[in-house]
Structures are given as C-alpha cells and as structure tokens.
Amino acid sequence: MAAEHIQTPKGTRDFFPADMRLQNHVFDGWRSVCRSFGYEEYEGPTFEHLELYVGKSGPEIVEQLYHFKDKGDRDLALRPELTPTLARMVNAKGPALRKPLKWFSIPRLYRYERAQRGRLREFFQLNMDIVGCDTVAAEADLIAAVIEMLRGFGLGSSDFAVRIASRALLSEFLDRLGVAADCKAGVYAALDKRAKIGEAEFRRLLDELGAGNVTPDLERFFQCRSLQDLTQVFPDPSAGEHAALQDLQNLFTLLAGLGLEDSLTIDTSVVRGLAYYTGIVFEVFDKGIGLRALAGGGRYDSLMASLGGAPVSAVGFGMGDVVLAELLKEKDLLPQGRSGVDYYLADLASGELPRAEMLALAQRLRGAGRSVAYSLKGGKFKKQMEEANDAGAKRVLFFGSDRAPAGSFEVKDLASGEQQVLEEALL
Ligand code: HAM
C-alpha cells in the first residue's frame, strides 16, 4: 500500500485541533464535576497482563481484547476497561489506602468491536469509582454526579434517563428459577445483548446454558418498571431478595431527596454485560434518539478478592466520549468556534521578520498571564488581521501604531470593534 493511502485503522480517530477542542470541552466538564464531588484523579498502564481480564471482565470483553505477546513471550492485552486495573491497584496498596476512596480517571480504551454508531475500537471513558463503602450512599453519590455532569453539558431530564436495576435481585431470581450458579455469567451476558442479537439467538444461548425453560418467568421480571412492580413479583421475598429490594428503595429515597427523581427509572432489563457486578447496576440512555448507552456501572463487591486482594466493596461507572459527543451534537450543545488568544500582535512595520521589541512585549504580556500570538511571517496588515481572526483572538494590538505614545498601545476588541489606546499596565 502506498504511504499516502494509509488511513487510520478502523474504529480509531484523528483529533484535529477542531476535534480536540470538542474533546477538551467534554473532558473539562467531566473533570470539573469529579473535582466538585471530591474525587481524585489516577491512571494506570495502557496494557496489562492478559489474565487480568480473562475470567474477570466476562466473555464479551474477552472476545474483544487486543492481545499480543511481547518480546519476552508475555501475554499482554491493551486495556478494554479500567476497572480491573483499579482493582489491581487497590489490592497492591491494601490497607495503606484509607477507605472509602473516591477516584476518577479518563483512560483511552481498546475493544475490537464491530464498527457501529457510538462504538469505536479506541475511545475514552470517564471512570468514577468508590471503594470501601457498603451502603447505597456510594451509588447515590455516583448517580448524582452523572446527572450533574450531563446537566453541566446542557442536557435536561427530557434528554436522558438513568435506568436502575439490581444484579443482586436478578441473581436471587435466577436462584429461584433453579439456574446453576456457574451459568449465571453466561445468562447475564445473553440478557445484556438480547436486543442486539435478536430473540432466536437469545433463546439458543439460554438453551445452551441449560436455562431455556426460564424465559416466561424472566419476562415477568424484566417487565418491572417500578418498585411497586417488583414487590408484586416478590410478594414473599427471601432474605437476599429483601436486602436487594431495600437497597433499591434506599437509593431512590436518597436521590429523591436531592430532587433527582425526574431523571431516574427502575428498569429491570438493565443487566450489564460485565461479569463482576454484584449489586445495583445502572445505565444512562438518551431519550428519543435511541443511541447506545451513554454510561453504565454498578456495584462489584467481589472483584478485589477475586484478584487475590482482601474483600472490599466497590461501585463505579464508565461514561464514554463517543455517545456523549453524538448526543451533544444532536442537541446542538457543542461549543462553536475557537476560544483563542487574548492578544494577537500585528506588526505594522510588516517586515519579513517580526520585530524583536514586539516579541519582548509578547513575552511581558505572557508573564502577566495573557495568552499572546503574532504572525511568524509578518507581511501585509490584512493578512495579519486574517490570521488574528483564525487564531480566535479576542483583541488585536497594532504594534508600531503612531496613534499610541511611548509605553501605550492601540488595541482593537474584535467582538465589539471598539478601538482604544491603553498603557501597557492596563493590557
Ligand atoms: P461498559 O458498559 O463496558 O462498562 O462501558 C461503559 C460506557 O463506555 C458505555 O456506556 C459507553 O458509553 C462506553 N463504551 C463502551 N464500549 C465502547 C466502545 N467500543 N466505543 C465507544 N464507547 C464505548 C465498563 O467499562 C465498566 N468498566 C464501567 C465501570 C467502572 N464499572 C464500574 N466501574
């Protein structure tokens, strides 16, 4: 293949400055809410030992792994998600980390997915996790943060909904139906991709797992859309079912106390494809457009122990950049244009090189906290003004204007068109 024909690999993106601007808008929105909720940022490696994912993340993610052998014959994988890394890091420090931890990260992730709207092979995902909190206070904190974040981008309760369910309750229900414990992960994965694979394939998968006979009962469970519906399916709950129902009730009470009930629904069809969830699970969907999930997460109280650490509870979620950006675009909520430099210095001498005195002024202004650009090529005034516009400059300073006495400069505000002469200290 000729070099000029080489394109980005399928499912990856180039970020030209205009794309990067939008990306930064999303990242800034994420970061500011994480910080306002008191989460600390962390990061891990982009590749890990393959075994960190196999058997922990669940069959679907393992099928999508980019894995390889390095030159030392080690089996490694590009990270498809951050949660196993977080668990590994928490285990590595053990009790030295004071719990509960509230951590966030914005990793770049890799999944060999079928290319489709909202799904890429390389993407970013905000992760927010709380480690070491047993009660639904953790879920409430995370869900409040998701809602705050989406509102910060300009979305309202008519644009998205947080759908909440309980993996613990589903697990208890599968016990009631006699589904073997070692089949459950397969059943969750099948349920999670049911809409994607279609009914016939879904039933075939359940048959294969020996759970083909349970569908009518499952249907009844999956039609529940309120706590009331659930109490009808569980009129006489076991201790485990009771605890799971109580968690849902407590979570709704806490979030309703924050006035967030408009953005929440119980939706038992939310199962989550990943294997490690043990309690409440949730996903965020847009309303009306039908994009894929904006975010998903839940409680995973056994993951640290399953990776050899001390048992510790954890809850978290991931929100991808791709679907969120699509939704913001659909709703016209992405920022337009460039927010550029404070000053563009136009050199009226229009020589081939900018004047050294002008560069010195630029340096002084930067030292005073202003952002400053100027033409590297000098040239005609009109050209420099075009460059100032392209740079998104707020003001142009006419360097060498004879209307400004020594120590002052003639400045034009590009938004208002207003022109004035200012002393350097006032710039
Ligand atoms: P997940 O449901 O696999 O969960 O991913 C969460 C979000 O990441 C999705 O809702 C979607 O926005 C985004 N996402 C996933 N795959 C892709 C893709 N191929 N392209 C673009 N966006 C994608 C997890 O990853 C869990 N580890 C989240 C978590 C954190 N649970 C607890 N803590």
Side-chain angles (χ1 to χ4, degrees), residues 143 146-147 150 155-164 260-267 270 282-288 292-296 327:
I143 291 173
V146 173
I147 294 174
L150 295 175
L155 297 164
S157 55
S158 58
D159 298 314
F160 69 88
V162 183
R163 300 188 192 163
I164 301 175
L260 300 178
E261 62 271 49
D262 277 3
S263 305
L264 313 173
T265 52
I266 288 275
D267 185 339
V270 171
F282 56 94
E283 287 187 332
V284 185
F285 283 90
D286 75 274
K287 278 188 183 165
R292 304 203 45 173
L294 283 155
L327 180 59

Short mmCIF file of all heavy atoms in Angstrom, two decimals, residues 143 146-147 150 155-164 260-267 270 282-288 292-296 327:
data_model
loop_
_atom_site.label_atom_id
_atom_site.label_comp_id
_atom_site.label_asym_id
_atom_site.label_seq_id
_atom_site.Cartn_x
_atom_site.Cartn_y
_atom_site.Cartn_z
N ILE A 143 -24.45 8.48 41.08
CA ILE A 143 -25.57 8.79 40.17
C ILE A 143 -25.85 10.30 40.20
O ILE A 143 -26.11 10.91 39.16
CB ILE A 143 -26.81 7.94 40.52
CG1 ILE A 143 -26.51 6.47 40.16
CG2 ILE A 143 -28.05 8.43 39.78
CD1 ILE A 143 -27.56 5.47 40.60
N VAL A 146 -23.29 11.79 37.90
CA VAL A 146 -23.60 11.60 36.47
C VAL A 146 -24.64 12.63 36.03
O VAL A 146 -24.50 13.26 34.96
CB VAL A 146 -24.23 10.21 36.20
CG1 VAL A 146 -24.69 10.09 34.76
CG2 VAL A 146 -23.28 9.11 36.49
N ILE A 147 -25.65 12.80 36.84
CA ILE A 147 -26.73 13.71 36.45
C ILE A 147 -26.21 15.15 36.40
O ILE A 147 -26.46 15.89 35.44
CB ILE A 147 -27.94 13.56 37.41
CG1 ILE A 147 -28.54 12.15 37.25
CG2 ILE A 147 -28.98 14.63 37.17
CD1 ILE A 147 -29.64 11.81 38.24
N LEU A 150 -24.19 15.64 33.22
CA LEU A 150 -24.97 15.76 31.99
C LEU A 150 -25.70 17.10 31.97
O LEU A 150 -25.80 17.74 30.93
CB LEU A 150 -25.94 14.58 31.85
CG LEU A 150 -25.22 13.23 31.66
CD1 LEU A 150 -26.20 12.07 31.65
CD2 LEU A 150 -24.39 13.22 30.37
N LEU A 155 -27.77 19.25 29.13
CA LEU A 155 -28.85 18.26 28.95
C LEU A 155 -29.79 18.29 30.15
O LEU A 155 -29.37 18.55 31.27
CB LEU A 155 -28.23 16.85 28.81
CG LEU A 155 -27.33 16.65 27.59
CD1 LEU A 155 -26.49 15.39 27.74
CD2 LEU A 155 -28.18 16.57 26.31
N GLY A 156 -31.07 17.99 29.88
CA GLY A 156 -32.05 18.00 30.97
C GLY A 156 -32.74 16.66 31.09
O GLY A 156 -32.43 15.72 30.35
N SER A 157 -33.70 16.57 32.02
CA SER A 157 -34.34 15.27 32.27
C SER A 157 -35.17 14.81 31.06
O SER A 157 -35.51 13.63 30.96
CB SER A 157 -35.19 15.30 33.53
OG SER A 157 -36.11 16.35 33.43
N SER A 158 -35.45 15.70 30.12
CA SER A 158 -36.15 15.23 28.91
C SER A 158 -35.17 14.65 27.89
O SER A 158 -35.57 14.09 26.87
CB SER A 158 -36.95 16.37 28.28
OG SER A 158 -36.06 17.42 27.97
N ASP A 159 -33.87 14.81 28.16
CA ASP A 159 -32.87 14.31 27.19
C ASP A 159 -32.28 12.95 27.57
O ASP A 159 -31.75 12.25 26.72
CB ASP A 159 -31.70 15.30 27.09
CG ASP A 159 -32.14 16.67 26.61
OD1 ASP A 159 -32.89 16.70 25.62
OD2 ASP A 159 -31.73 17.66 27.21
N PHE A 160 -32.30 12.62 28.88
CA PHE A 160 -31.67 11.36 29.27
C PHE A 160 -32.35 10.77 30.51
O PHE A 160 -33.08 11.48 31.21
CB PHE A 160 -30.17 11.59 29.58
CG PHE A 160 -29.93 12.39 30.83
CD1 PHE A 160 -29.83 11.77 32.08
CD2 PHE A 160 -29.83 13.76 30.78
CE1 PHE A 160 -29.63 12.51 33.23
CE2 PHE A 160 -29.63 14.52 31.93
CZ PHE A 160 -29.53 13.88 33.16
N ALA A 161 -32.13 9.49 30.73
CA ALA A 161 -32.65 8.85 31.93
C ALA A 161 -31.61 7.88 32.48
O ALA A 161 -30.88 7.25 31.71
CB ALA A 161 -33.93 8.09 31.61
N VAL A 162 -31.54 7.81 33.81
CA VAL A 162 -30.69 6.81 34.45
C VAL A 162 -31.59 5.63 34.77
O VAL A 162 -32.57 5.76 35.51
CB VAL A 162 -30.08 7.36 35.77
CG1 VAL A 162 -29.12 6.34 36.38
CG2 VAL A 162 -29.36 8.69 35.52
N ARG A 163 -31.29 4.49 34.17
CA ARG A 163 -32.11 3.28 34.39
C ARG A 163 -31.41 2.40 35.41
O ARG A 163 -30.25 2.02 35.22
CB ARG A 163 -32.28 2.53 33.09
CG ARG A 163 -32.95 3.36 32.02
CD ARG A 163 -33.26 2.46 30.84
NE ARG A 163 -33.64 3.22 29.67
CZ ARG A 163 -33.65 2.74 28.44
NH1 ARG A 163 -33.28 1.48 28.23
NH2 ARG A 163 -34.02 3.48 27.42
N ILE A 164 -32.14 2.08 36.45
CA ILE A 164 -31.52 1.39 37.58
C ILE A 164 -32.12 0.00 37.78
O ILE A 164 -33.35 -0.17 37.64
CB ILE A 164 -31.72 2.24 38.86
CG1 ILE A 164 -31.09 3.62 38.63
CG2 ILE A 164 -31.11 1.56 40.08
CD1 ILE A 164 -31.32 4.60 39.76
N LEU A 260 -33.82 14.49 42.31
CA LEU A 260 -33.36 13.94 41.02
C LEU A 260 -34.30 12.88 40.45
O LEU A 260 -33.97 12.26 39.43
CB LEU A 260 -31.95 13.33 41.19
CG LEU A 260 -30.87 14.32 41.65
CD1 LEU A 260 -29.54 13.60 41.83
CD2 LEU A 260 -30.73 15.45 40.63
N GLU A 261 -35.47 12.66 41.07
CA GLU A 261 -36.31 11.54 40.64
C GLU A 261 -36.75 11.64 39.18
O GLU A 261 -36.98 10.61 38.53
CB GLU A 261 -37.50 11.31 41.58
CG GLU A 261 -38.48 12.46 41.69
CD GLU A 261 -38.08 13.43 42.79
OE1 GLU A 261 -36.92 13.84 42.82
OE2 GLU A 261 -38.96 13.79 43.60
N ASP A 262 -36.82 12.85 38.65
CA ASP A 262 -37.22 13.03 37.24
C ASP A 262 -36.29 12.31 36.28
O ASP A 262 -36.67 11.99 35.16
CB ASP A 262 -37.10 14.52 36.85
CG ASP A 262 -38.31 15.27 37.29
OD1 ASP A 262 -39.17 14.64 37.93
OD2 ASP A 262 -38.37 16.48 36.99
N SER A 263 -35.04 12.14 36.70
CA SER A 263 -34.05 11.55 35.79
C SER A 263 -33.86 10.06 36.01
O SER A 263 -33.00 9.45 35.38
CB SER A 263 -32.70 12.24 35.97
OG SER A 263 -32.83 13.63 35.81
N LEU A 264 -34.64 9.45 36.90
CA LEU A 264 -34.40 8.04 37.27
C LEU A 264 -35.57 7.14 36.91
O LEU A 264 -36.72 7.57 37.03
CB LEU A 264 -34.24 7.91 38.79
CG LEU A 264 -33.33 8.88 39.51
CD1 LEU A 264 -33.46 8.67 41.00
CD2 LEU A 264 -31.90 8.64 39.07
N THR A 265 -35.28 5.90 36.50
CA THR A 265 -36.34 4.89 36.42
C THR A 265 -35.78 3.55 36.87
O THR A 265 -34.59 3.28 36.70
CB THR A 265 -36.87 4.67 35.00
OG1 THR A 265 -35.76 4.42 34.14
CG2 THR A 265 -37.66 5.84 34.47
N ILE A 266 -36.67 2.75 37.43
CA ILE A 266 -36.31 1.34 37.64
C ILE A 266 -36.48 0.66 36.30
O ILE A 266 -37.48 0.90 35.61
CB ILE A 266 -37.31 0.69 38.63
CG1 ILE A 266 -37.08 1.19 40.05
CG2 ILE A 266 -37.26 -0.84 38.55
CD1 ILE A 266 -36.02 0.45 40.82
N ASP A 267 -35.50 -0.10 35.90
CA ASP A 267 -35.62 -0.82 34.63
C ASP A 267 -34.87 -2.14 34.76
O ASP A 267 -33.65 -2.20 34.61
CB ASP A 267 -35.04 0.03 33.50
CG ASP A 267 -35.25 -0.62 32.15
OD1 ASP A 267 -35.48 -1.85 32.10
OD2 ASP A 267 -35.19 0.10 31.12
N VAL A 270 -32.08 -3.73 32.56
CA VAL A 270 -30.65 -3.38 32.62
C VAL A 270 -29.93 -4.49 33.38
O VAL A 270 -30.20 -4.74 34.55
CB VAL A 270 -30.44 -2.03 33.35
CG1 VAL A 270 -28.97 -1.77 33.62
CG2 VAL A 270 -31.04 -0.90 32.53
N PHE A 282 -26.62 0.22 36.87
CA PHE A 282 -27.36 1.30 36.20
C PHE A 282 -26.74 1.64 34.86
O PHE A 282 -25.55 1.39 34.62
CB PHE A 282 -27.46 2.56 37.09
CG PHE A 282 -26.13 3.10 37.55
CD1 PHE A 282 -25.48 4.10 36.84
CD2 PHE A 282 -25.52 2.62 38.71
CE1 PHE A 282 -24.26 4.61 37.26
CE2 PHE A 282 -24.31 3.12 39.13
CZ PHE A 282 -23.67 4.11 38.41
N GLU A 283 -27.59 2.17 33.99
CA GLU A 283 -27.12 2.64 32.70
C GLU A 283 -27.81 3.95 32.40
O GLU A 283 -28.93 4.18 32.84
CB GLU A 283 -27.44 1.62 31.60
CG GLU A 283 -26.53 0.40 31.70
CD GLU A 283 -26.63 -0.61 30.57
OE1 GLU A 283 -27.71 -0.72 29.96
OE2 GLU A 283 -25.63 -1.28 30.33
N VAL A 284 -27.14 4.79 31.63
CA VAL A 284 -27.74 6.07 31.25
C VAL A 284 -28.00 6.05 29.75
O VAL A 284 -27.10 5.71 28.98
CB VAL A 284 -26.79 7.25 31.60
CG1 VAL A 284 -27.48 8.57 31.31
CG2 VAL A 284 -26.34 7.16 33.04
N PHE A 285 -29.23 6.37 29.38
CA PHE A 285 -29.61 6.39 27.97
C PHE A 285 -30.16 7.74 27.58
O PHE A 285 -30.74 8.44 28.42
CB PHE A 285 -30.69 5.33 27.70
CG PHE A 285 -30.15 3.93 27.64
CD1 PHE A 285 -30.06 3.17 28.79
CD2 PHE A 285 -29.71 3.39 26.45
CE1 PHE A 285 -29.56 1.87 28.75
CE2 PHE A 285 -29.20 2.10 26.39
CZ PHE A 285 -29.13 1.34 27.55
N ASP A 286 -30.02 8.09 26.31
CA ASP A 286 -30.69 9.31 25.84
C ASP A 286 -32.17 9.00 25.69
O ASP A 286 -32.56 7.83 25.62
CB ASP A 286 -30.11 9.73 24.48
CG ASP A 286 -30.60 8.85 23.35
OD1 ASP A 286 -29.99 7.79 23.12
OD2 ASP A 286 -31.63 9.17 22.73
N LYS A 287 -32.98 10.03 25.67
CA LYS A 287 -34.41 9.83 25.45
C LYS A 287 -34.74 10.32 24.05
O LYS A 287 -34.40 11.45 23.70
CB LYS A 287 -35.21 10.66 26.44
CG LYS A 287 -35.37 10.04 27.82
CD LYS A 287 -36.35 10.89 28.61
CE LYS A 287 -36.50 10.39 30.03
NZ LYS A 287 -37.17 11.42 30.85
N GLY A 288 -35.36 9.47 23.26
CA GLY A 288 -35.86 9.96 21.98
C GLY A 288 -35.00 9.67 20.78
O GLY A 288 -35.50 9.45 19.69
N ARG A 292 -26.80 4.33 21.72
CA ARG A 292 -26.39 3.30 22.67
C ARG A 292 -26.17 3.94 24.04
O ARG A 292 -26.21 5.15 24.17
CB ARG A 292 -25.13 2.62 22.16
CG ARG A 292 -25.36 2.06 20.76
CD ARG A 292 -24.42 0.98 20.44
NE ARG A 292 -24.30 0.05 21.55
CZ ARG A 292 -23.64 -1.08 21.48
NH1 ARG A 292 -23.06 -1.41 20.37
NH2 ARG A 292 -23.55 -1.88 22.51
N ALA A 293 -25.91 3.10 25.06
CA ALA A 293 -25.80 3.65 26.43
C ALA A 293 -24.70 4.72 26.51
O ALA A 293 -23.62 4.55 25.97
CB ALA A 293 -25.51 2.53 27.41
N LEU A 294 -25.04 5.79 27.20
CA LEU A 294 -24.06 6.86 27.44
C LEU A 294 -23.09 6.44 28.53
O LEU A 294 -21.93 6.84 28.55
CB LEU A 294 -24.76 8.11 27.97
CG LEU A 294 -25.53 8.98 26.99
CD1 LEU A 294 -26.60 9.75 27.72
CD2 LEU A 294 -24.55 9.94 26.33
N ALA A 295 -23.59 5.70 29.49
CA ALA A 295 -22.77 5.32 30.64
C ALA A 295 -23.35 4.07 31.27
O ALA A 295 -24.53 3.76 31.08
CB ALA A 295 -22.74 6.44 31.67
N GLY A 296 -22.51 3.34 31.99
CA GLY A 296 -23.00 2.15 32.68
C GLY A 296 -22.09 1.81 33.83
O GLY A 296 -20.89 2.09 33.79
N LEU A 327 -24.66 12.81 21.26
CA LEU A 327 -25.88 13.37 21.84
C LEU A 327 -25.77 14.90 21.90
O LEU A 327 -26.70 15.62 21.53
CB LEU A 327 -26.11 12.78 23.24
CG LEU A 327 -27.34 13.28 23.97
CD1 LEU A 327 -28.62 13.01 23.18
CD2 LEU A 327 -27.46 12.63 25.35
#
